[in-house]
Each structure stands twice: as structure tokens, then as C-alpha cells.
Amino acid sequence: MFESSWAGDRVGDHLACRVEDSLKLMKNPQYAILTAIKDELLVIALIGMTTVLLLPLHTHLLMINILMVYLILVFLVALKLHGRASILASFLSIAIYFYFFVPPHSSFEIIELQYLLTLALMLLIAMITTHLASGLRNQVVIAENRERCIRSLYELAEELTGIASPNQIIHPCRRFVSDNFDAHGVLIFPDETGKLSGEANWLNLVNLPWAQRILDENMGTLPDFRTCLMEGSLYIPLQGSEKNQGIMVLTLKQTDGVLSGEQESLLRMSVTFMGLVLERLAYAARERKALLEIDSERLRNALLASLSHDLRTPIAAMAGMADAMQWSFPPLPQTHQTMLGGIRDQIHLILSDVDKLLDMARLHQDIVTLHKEWQVLEEVVGSALKTSGDVLRGYIIDVTMGSDIPLLEMDATMVERVFRNLLENVARHTPVGSRIELAAHVAEQGVVVHVMDNGPGIPQGQEEAIFSKFVHGKTIAGTGGVGLGLSIVRAVVRAHGGSIRAENRKEGGAKFEIIFPLGKPPTVICDTEVNL
Amino acid sequence: MSEPQQSVVLIEDEKMIRRYVAMALSANGFKVWESETAQQGLMETASRRPDLIILDLGLPDRDGVDVIRELRLWCEIPILVLSVCTEEMQKVAALDAGADDYLTKPFGVPELHARIRAVLRRRARRDGHEENEGGIFEFGDVQVDMVHRRVSRGGTPVHLTPIEYHILTLLVANVGLVLTHRFILQKVWGPDYVERPHYLRVFMAGLRRKIEENSSNPKHLMTETGIGYRLVR
């Protein structure tokens, strides 16, 4: 996996800057007050200027028109400035209107009851306007915020869909966080075993056990962010559909981990998306790896297959021609026939050794793909006896195989080779006429198969060594072989989850014990005998 | 020989193997046309109309299984496949594509002749040239009476289940030739069972126990590991 970290970039973040500015100003109390009442000052200035402009004109204008100018002013203020300023504007403009423009001028005295009604109506209109305008302004602000969120989510999505490696997620995420939250962010990814780890210097900023807990415990749905808070940072899981792909640690600088509703929903959407992107990358990486493995396996298999073809073809031609000579007409003299028989036998020995070398090469490279099917053990043993026919000529073979032996899941070709190699091995180390016993029974640990002979047995202390590569025992006929037979046997048995060991029998001779694990064989529906 | 001479198209790229197979075939009275490549072999087959095609699966110009498929599009001439490869999948693919049987190199001359005989006999029977032996088929001490659906061994009746009997008759009808698992499963159980070779194995084990003298070391119902079964007389 990959590990990386990133920190929210503060430079260029306009939200952060605004807060930074106000923080600086906060240190000077005069500026602070000025900033706080800046809108109110603006209102007073505006109304003052309007009044100054209107005063010389009021003899020419109807009172109602002057009133309209003030109402428009209130409306504009309500539209552009915050609530407190617009309320101030309402009261201030009404007061000024009555003071300067309602007779008697330059006095709050009201001489006619009608004017009192005007005052009340004007106040009402101003308040309603203020309310509507500020509502409108809020809507605009919300819509703008929402649009900004959607745009940044869209940009994030656009950037993340194109990426090919997990490291490329870091930069877009950093920009996204700094654009939308005033925060430091760190991404931590788990390794293959699912543990979060890392050595980078950012790790001391992070509470790793807590992050691990969040990673392990929150599957399926995103948790309430308040439960993810630890030491002022939010630990948010990046969820995939199968497992969590990582943790984002979000350290908000201002608000101690408390997010606004909008920020929270934006964060939810973005972490869900990041999780999915990471999952897609993980899948893609896995697929690439699998493809690579398939490719290299195919290559090695092709290499071994062509090697096998190239070695076997001339040997096969030699064997064939020796055979053809033996059957040629007119028949060859007896001595030549015997020699041809010898040539043929030697060719078959070479072939069997070539096969063993290739088998071992395959097994050694771990590229044997077992074609496992549910097999009848008796059948596999039977075909091993058939294929090693020539080697076993002259031996007494005794097979005891109960019909209660369950189906075993195995690669028949490979297991046949196990028995063939074992039988060949016995034939090599015992004199012709020896007795070879094959017996199988079901035990608790699996199906136990014994291959026993009454020959000279295994040399003392060699019971394990005979399974090593290129180890020869003392052979009877001097027919050496490459010494791979038994190591292939062990490799194949182990590939089937079984075990093999050798020992000497009390009554003399060697005994090989193979244990094949019992599986859960499928049921076979049998029909019943009828008198045909 | 009173019969007309039988002919073979031999498609094999290895010169030495081609030479010895041709030698063995001519010694047995076959007329042999040799081809080095699949393309040449296809042309020979089209022009000579032989009684048998012997095809090597590892040809340089084309995949052997492909060649079989193409041949089967326009001719029913028996095909015997030669393979140097120990990979069973390729042989099964060749058999499923329509080859009649296979031989793995190195093979002996007697083996070659036995295989050719079996292939040609099945063809003759299919064409109705060979008489069936009064509906009674014998191998070893086993008698299969196809007319009365009776099986006996050494004179004693053997009781088979309908499925066992069905498998046995399939093997009898193709005596000497290999039948793939897929083929038998499809014929006996139907297409739904072709992916369940363990059914066949269980029934074959039962059949062997009833018919073979020693079911662990059969003499007639032979296993071709990874491929299928063959009845040997």
C-alpha cells in the first residue's frame, strides 16, 4: 500500500484569510469596534447624506415623495447589509423624516393625528421590507454557498475520476479541504493487513490508535462526526463498499471540530466519494497484479511446454524408430532384437527422467495449477499401475482398497504421478519378484494410503533425506534416475494439503504413508439395480 | 489383399516421427500421403479423400484443434491425433472437437496399429459394413448380450443398474476408443451433468467392481487420466 500525508494549505484560502484578518484586528480594540459597527456607520452616513440633499428640495417636493426616498433607502440597506443595520436604517430614517419634513419642521411634535398613522404605517412598511430583504439576502448567500460546494465537489470529482494511482488523490484532496474548510488534513492508509502505519513526521500529529479504532469500527454507514472527534481533530473513515480505505484526519483551526450543517454535509459527500475512488484504485491495482501474475505464469508454462516438446520429440522419434526396426520385415536376428529392446528401455528411462525434471521445475516454481476434481482413489491408483506397467513386470502387486473410501478432491494426473513415482521407486530398490502392497483406509485425519514392500528397506536415518532433491538410494539394477521421484511425490502431496512419510516395517521392507485430507465430497444420486 | 488398399494422410512436422509412422503404416499395407504443415494436410485430405487422417497437434502453422474443427466442417474421415504434450486439456479439446482418438508420443508400433484398427472399425460399423456379432459382445470373460440386455461374467449373471448398463453399452459401441468424460456424461445423464465428472467416476468404480477381476488393477475398463475411459478387449 501507500502512505502519505498532507496538510491543508492556508495560503490563498480566502475564508481563512478573512478570519486571519479579523484575528489581527481583534488585537487592537479601537479597530475592532470600528469593524463591528462598520455597517451602522455606513447607514448613518447614507441617511445623513440623503437628508442633506433633500432638505433644500423639500419645499418643492411633496411630502409623500420624500417618504418614498427614505423607504427606498431602507429597502436598499436591508438588501445589502445585515439585519441590525437595516433596523437602524428604518428607525433613523423615520425619525429624520418626522423631524425635518413633517410640519412643524425641526421638531418631533405631531400636530395632526394623521401623521401619527403615517408614522406607524411607515414603520410597518420598513420592518416588512427589512424582513423580506434580509430573507432574500440569506437565500442568496445559501444558494451561493451551495453552488460553491457543488462546484468544488464537481471539481474534486473531475480530478479524482481521472487518477490512476492512490498518491494522486492527495493533491486534489488538499485543495478541496483548504477551499472548503479551514483545516489541516492528513490522509492515512492501511497496509495489506489493515493496519494503519507510517513513520513520517506527520504521525505525531495523529492519534494512531484512535484512527485505527475508527477504521475498524465504522463499516457500512458514515458515523456521526461528533463521535469521531479526538483532541480537536475529526477522524473520518473513507469508506469503500467492502472495507474502509483509509482515514482522513481533519484538524479544524477555529471551531474545535464543530462543523456547520452545510460543511458537514459537504464533508460527508466528499469523504464518501474519496472512499469510492480509493476502492476503485484498489480494485484496479489488484486486477493489474492478477493480470501480471497470469501473464508470467503463462510465459513460464509456455517455456516449460516448449522445453518439454523440444526434449520429448527427438526422444519419441528415437523410441519410434527403434520400435519400427523391431517390427520390420524381414525380422532382425535375435541379438539385434535384444539390443533394440535395450535401446527402447533406455529411451523410456530418459523420457521418464525428462518428465520428472520438468515436473520438478513446475512444482519448484510454484506454477502448478492443480485441476482438482472429486476422484475415486481406486481409479487413480489403477491408472498409476497401468502406466507403470513395464517397470512393475515381475512384481507381485497387492491392492487393498475399501469401497468405503470417500471421493477425494485431487488433481488426478498429479496424484497418478505420485503413485507412479512411488511404485517406480519401489521397483528400483527391491529385487524382481518382491511383493508390493497398496492399501488405503479412512482414519480421523484423512484417507491413509500405505505403499509397502518386502525389500531391503530404507537405510537407517535416511527416512527423511530420501524426499530431498537429487538423493539416490542404493539401487538394485544400477538404474539411477535423477533422484527427483520422491521429492516430486512430497511436493504434490503437500500441494493437496496432505503429508507423506517413510519408515521401515518391522517385518522388513519400506513403508510409505500418505495422508490425503478428507473434504466435503458432493453427493451422487445413485440408481438401483434392476434385473436387466 | 482382396480389399482395396486403405489410405492415410499423415500430417506431422517432425521429419523423423513422420518417417517412422509412414514406415510402420506402409509395412501394414496402407497408402500414406505425408504432409508437413496443416495447410498442406488439408489440401491433401481434400484431394485424396483418405480413409484416415493422422494429425500431429503441435504443427508450426496452425493449432491442431483448429484444424480438426475445420476438417469436421466438411468431412467425416476418422482423425487420429498424435501429441507429444502431456497436457490432457489439449487432448480433450481435440477429442471434443471431433478427433476419434489420440496417441501420446512416444508410442509403439503395436499401439499405433491397435488404435488405427479401432478407429477404422468404428467407422465401418457406423457405415454398416461390419456385422454385429449376433448382438453379443465379449471381452475377457464378460459377455454383454445387447439384445436381451443381459451381462454375465464367467457364465454368472451380473446385475447392473440402468446407468451402469448404459455406460457399458457406450463403451462397447466404441470399443478400443477413448470416450471423454464430457461425452459419456452427456449421453448418459444429459447436458446438465457435463460439469460433474464425479458422477461418472462413482459409477465406473461400481461397474469395475462388478465386471473386473481386480477393480484396482483393471484390464478392460481403462482410465485415461484427465481424459475419459476406454474399453479394451
Side-chain angles (χ1 to χ4, degrees):
Chain A
M1 273 311 271
F2 50 90
E3 284 149 13
S4 202
S5 70
W6 51 276
D9 198 347
R10 304 189 325 188
V11 184
D13 176 349
H14 65 275
L15 267 177
C17 279
R18 198 181 289 169
V19 180
E20 290 286 315
D21 289 347
S22 51
L23 278 179
K24 262 183 239 155
L25 291 175
M26 212 75 96
K27 284 170 194 153
N28 189 328
Q30 281 177 332
Y31 282 130
I33 293 163
L34 276 180
T35 314
I37 59 166
K38 142 178 130 209
D39 283 359
E40 283 82 349
L41 291 177
L42 188 65
V43 165
I44 292 167
L46 270 172
I47 292 176
M49 269 161 61
T50 315
T51 311
V52 170
L53 282 174
L54 286 174
L55 270 175
L57 297 172
H58 85 277
T59 46
H60 305 291
L61 290 172
L62 280 177
M63 249 168 61
I64 193 78
N65 288 340
I66 292 170
L67 184 63
M68 285 303 155
V69 172
Y70 277 104
L71 278 179
I72 285 173
L73 200 61
V74 169
F75 179 71
L76 287 176
V77 167
L79 208 58
K80 288 292 166 197
L81 303 176
H82 62 74
R84 217 169 52 208
S86 49
I87 290 168
L88 177 71
S90 314
F91 281 101
L92 194 64
S93 46
I94 289 165
I96 285 179
Y97 175 71
F98 273 89
Y99 187 79
F100 288 110
F101 301 106
V102 175
H105 301 300
S106 304
S107 144
F108 284 114
E109 204 180 332
I110 291 167
I111 49 167
E112 226 177 293
L113 210 59
Q114 281 284 341
Y115 290 136
L116 203 60
L117 188 63
T118 310
L119 173 83
L121 284 175
M122 190 178 168
L123 196 60
L124 192 66
I125 290 168
M127 293 318 275
I128 291 170
T129 312
T130 304
H131 181 74
L132 285 178
S134 70
L136 196 67
R137 199 185 55 231
N138 280 342
Q139 291 296 325
V140 170
V141 171
I142 289 169
E144 274 174 355
N145 271 342
R146 210 168 272 166
E147 197 208 323
R148 193 162 48 81
C149 286
I150 288 167
R151 196 187 301 129
S152 58
L153 260 180
Y154 174 75
E155 281 167 4
L156 182 74
E158 202 174 38
E159 278 178 291
L160 293 194
T161 40
I163 65 173
S165 105
N167 285 321
Q168 288 171 292
I169 199 173
I170 290 158
H171 189 67
C173 288
R174 169 206 270 169
R175 197 166 47 223
F176 179 78
V177 168
S178 58
D179 279 354
N180 295 287
F181 311 97
D182 179 26
H184 281 295
V186 173
L187 281 185
I188 327 170
F189 302 120
D191 60 16
E192 274 152 7
T193 58
K195 286 209 87 61
L196 294 170
S197 60
E199 299 156 28
N201 50 6
W202 49 265
L203 263 188
N204 52 17
L205 302 170
V206 169
N207 184 334
L208 208 55
W210 177 253
Q212 186 72 48
R213 211 180 121 189
I214 295 286
L215 185 82
D216 296 341
E217 285 179 4
N218 293 286
M219 304 296 291
T221 50
L222 270 179
D224 185 343
F225 286 157
R226 274 167 296 186
T227 63
C228 302
L229 197 62
M230 171 60 78
E231 294 157 6
S233 296
L234 279 172
Y235 289 68
I236 304 158
L238 305 176
Q239 293 181 323
S241 59
E242 244 179 41
K243 59 171 192 167
N244 289 339
Q245 302 289 332
I247 290 282
M248 178 156 79
V249 184
L250 203 66
T251 312
L252 293 166
K253 278 172 263 172
Q254 293 310 310
T255 43
D256 282 337
V258 181
L259 294 167
S260 73
E262 252 168 57
Q263 277 181 315
E264 187 171 325
S265 64
L266 180 63
L267 191 58
R268 275 180 183 277
M269 281 189 275
S270 59
V271 293
T272 308
F273 183 66
M274 288 176 205
L276 288 175
V277 167
L278 284 170
E279 190 175 51
R280 172 177 72 77
L281 292 172
Y283 278 137
R286 217 184 300 166
E287 193 186 352
R288 257 199 313 279
K289 202 176 155 209
L291 279 178
L292 208 66
E293 272 169 13
I294 290 170
D295 269 356
S296 67
E297 187 187 315
R298 197 177 292 150
L299 192 69
R300 280 179 296 185
N301 267 329
L303 200 69
L304 281 168
S306 79
L307 191 63
S308 161
H309 180 267
D310 290 354
L311 286 171
R312 285 180 69 104
T313 303
I315 299 173
M318 281 195 282
M321 280 183 290
D323 212 56
M325 273 171 87
Q326 235 176 346
W327 291 86
S328 61
F329 191 84
L332 295 172
Q334 191 55 43
T335 46
H336 291 185
Q337 291 274 9
T338 321
M339 280 161 74
L340 273 175
I343 291 176
R344 218 174 42 154
D345 289 350
Q346 293 302 311
I347 290 171
H348 281 279
L349 274 179
I350 295 175
L351 196 68
S352 115
D353 284 345
V354 164
D355 284 348
K356 277 184 199 140
L357 277 168
L358 293 169
D359 275 354
M360 200 65 230
R362 286 202 183 91
L363 287 163
H364 187 66
Q365 291 196 36
D366 235 12
I367 57 171
V368 177
T369 24
L370 294 174
H371 299 290
K372 282 193 187 177
E373 281 177 3
W374 291 98
Q375 302 284 349
V376 175
L377 185 66
E378 189 181 41
E379 182 176 297
V380 181
V381 170
S383 51
L385 285 170
K386 186 192 81 179
T387 44
S388 35
D390 279 354
V391 185
L392 296 176
R393 200 172 297 134
Y395 289 85
I396 304 158
I397 294 162
D398 186 2
V399 187
T400 329
M401 211 147 283
S403 54
D404 62 329
I405 292 172
L407 291 174
L408 291 173
E409 197 175 27
M410 48 175 62
D411 183 324
T413 316
M414 297 307 281
V415 175
E416 188 193 309
R417 242 169 271 184
V418 164
F419 288 113
R420 204 164 67 206
N421 287 357
L422 276 174
L423 290 166
E424 259 176 43
N425 182 69
V426 172
R428 269 191 185 144
H429 296 94
T430 57
V432 175
S434 302
R435 185 184 185 79
I436 305 174
E437 285 174 67
L438 271 148
H441 67 271
V442 188
E444 203 179 308
Q445 70 270 40
V447 172
V448 183
V449 189
H450 287 138
V451 179
M452 299 172 281
D453 64 59
N454 58 355
I458 303 155
Q460 204 62 46
Q462 290 288 295
E463 289 90 346
E464 263 303 300
I466 54 170
F467 291 108
S468 312
K469 274 174 225 158
F470 306 111
V471 170
H472 303 260
K474 209 167 76 186
T475 57
I476 294 294
T479 46
V482 279
L484 280 174
L486 290 181
S487 50
I488 292 170
V489 166
R490 174 166 273 183
V492 173
V493 170
R494 283 187 175 164
H496 282 84
S499 64
I500 180 165
R501 63 194 183 86
E503 61 185 27
N504 283 315
R505 301 165 79 189
K506 280 190 221 84
E507 56 270 46
K511 172 176 159 185
F512 289 89
E513 183 183 83
I514 309 176
I515 299 172
F516 289 111
L518 293 167
K520 289 199 178 72
T523 49
V524 173
I525 304 156
C526 293
D527 57 347
T528 47
E529 285 172 19
V530 288
N531 270 334
L532 288 162
Chain B
M1 241 187 236
S2 56
E3 277 179 56
Q5 192 183 27
Q6 290 193 300
S7 60
V8 179
V9 166
L10 170 60
I11 312 168
E12 163 66 84
D13 61 315
E14 298 293 335
K15 200 170 140 201
M16 299 314 276
I17 290 179
R18 201 168 65 232
R19 182 185 290 176
Y20 110 74
V21 173
M23 208 165 80
L25 288 172
S26 330
N28 233 36
F30 284 96
K31 173 89 190 95
V32 185
W33 282 289
E34 296 179 30
S35 310
E36 215 170 315
T37 61
Q39 210 44 52
Q40 200 188 335
L42 286 167
M43 274 154 58
E44 286 280 355
T45 308
S47 58
R48 309 283 182 198
R49 290 277 160 179
D51 299 292
L52 176 70
I53 300 163
I54 298 182
L55 172 72
D56 178 46
L57 281 185
L59 292 170
D61 58 334
R62 275 184 72 181
D63 177 49
V65 180
D66 262 2
V67 177
I68 297 169
R69 281 199 198 103
E70 189 179 323
L71 280 168
R72 280 291 170 256
L73 288 180
W74 54 271
C75 82
E76 285 291 309
I77 301 167
I79 302 171
L80 180 61
V81 156
L82 304 182
S83 165
V84 74
C85 164
T86 44
E87 184 59 57
E88 276 71 27
M89 307 285 250
Q90 201 193 11
K91 295 176 196 161
V92 171
L95 292 166
D96 285 339
D100 289 74
D101 211 330
Y102 72 94
L103 275 171
T104 307
K105 300 176 207 173
F107 48 86
V109 175
E111 238 181 314
L112 174 67
H113 285 310
R115 233 18 84 74
I116 291 175
R117 264 199 311 277
V119 169
L120 291 177
R121 197 185 307 129
R122 176 166 72 179
R123 188 53 44 132
R125 203 163 41 236
R126 209 171 275 178
D127 298 346
H129 294 321
E130 195 174 297
E131 287 177 23
N132 54 9
E133 304 134 31
I136 292 180
F137 183 88
E138 287 185 49
F139 57 94
D141 57 353
V142 179
Q143 270 203 336
V144 185
D145 183 341
M146 306 284 225
V147 178
H148 301 100
R149 297 164 68 84
R150 267 197 294 256
V151 182
S152 62
R153 199 183 128 210
T156 357
V158 177
H159 299 292
L160 299 182
T161 70
I163 289 180
E164 286 169 343
Y165 183 73
H166 197 167
I167 298 172
L168 186 62
T169 51
L170 267 185
L171 288 164
V172 165
N174 298 286
V175 59
L177 297 174
V178 71
L179 298 181
T180 60
H181 293 132
R182 198 186 176 80
F183 178 82
I184 306 177
L185 285 164
Q186 176 133 18
K187 287 273 178 192
V188 177
W189 281 273
D192 293 350
Y193 282 75
V194 291
E195 300 302 329
R196 291 187 229 178
H198 55 274
Y199 262 78
L200 180 53
R201 294 200 178 98
V202 168
F203 278 88
M204 276 306 284
L207 197 55
R208 281 201 183 108
R209 258 174 240 127
K210 291 175 186 175
I211 281 178
E212 291 280 353
E213 194 181 335
N214 178 359
S215 59
S216 307
N217 199 357
K219 296 283 172 275
H220 304 291
L221 301 171
M222 308 309 282
T223 309
E224 300 279 326
T225 304
I227 295 168
Y229 296 97
R230 183 195 301 278
L231 177 67
V232 176
R233 248 183 164 158

